[in-house]
Amino acid sequence: MARRGIDPQSGYKLRYEYREHDAERIFEVAAIETQESQRCISGLILRGLKKPKDCAAFAKECTPQNPLGATMVSAEGSCAAYYQYGRYLEAGKGQ
């Protein structure tokens, strides 16, 4: 299950003396919330609990051109690498 919402302890902040370089302050960035597709299991893939071929959306609704989760967005992501090198083709052969 994907975790949603804001975790106040999740990131770094610039020290006060560098506030003139703080993009969040300069551009008045509001809170950012993300929500992945319910069909996406990228959280499980990132934790090593599942492989891309275990995802029902992989190489169907979820492709590098239409990514549903973080692991397909970046070329270095697990799903994107499986897709790029044809590992999803092997999934149908029981490997």
Side-chain angles (χ1 to χ4, degrees), residues 6-25:
I6 298 171
D7 185 352
Q9 303 298 317
S10 67
Y12 291 104
K13 288 257 185 209
L14 292 176
R15 289 189 297 205
Y16 181 79
E17 59 264 29
Y18 297 107
R19 68 188 176 281
E20 67 272 6
H21 303 290
D22 187 350
E24 286 185 359
R25 189 182 68 78

Side-chain angles (χ1 to χ4, degrees), residues 18-90:
Y18 297 107
R19 68 188 176 281
E20 67 272 6
H21 303 290
D22 187 350
E24 286 185 359
R25 189 182 68 78
I26 294 168
F27 298 108
E28 298 178 16
V29 176
I32 298 171
E33 288 192 41
T34 62
Q35 186 172 3
E36 290 184 339
S37 166
Q38 293 294 321
R39 294 186 43 84
C40 180
I41 62 167
S42 65
L44 297 171
I45 293 168
L46 284 168
R47 288 182 291 190
L49 301 173
K50 297 277 185 178
K51 293 195 180 281
K53 64 184 179 183
D54 298 329
C55 181
F58 179 73
K60 296 175 186 84
E61 303 100 283
C62 187
T63 66
Q65 295 77 28
N66 183 43
L68 296 181
T71 51
M72 187 64 91
V73 172
S74 167
E76 292 84 22
S78 303
C79 292
Y82 263 64
Y83 189 91
Q84 165 108 17
Y85 296 106
R87 296 290 298 270
Y88 67 97
L89 297 173
E90 296 173 7

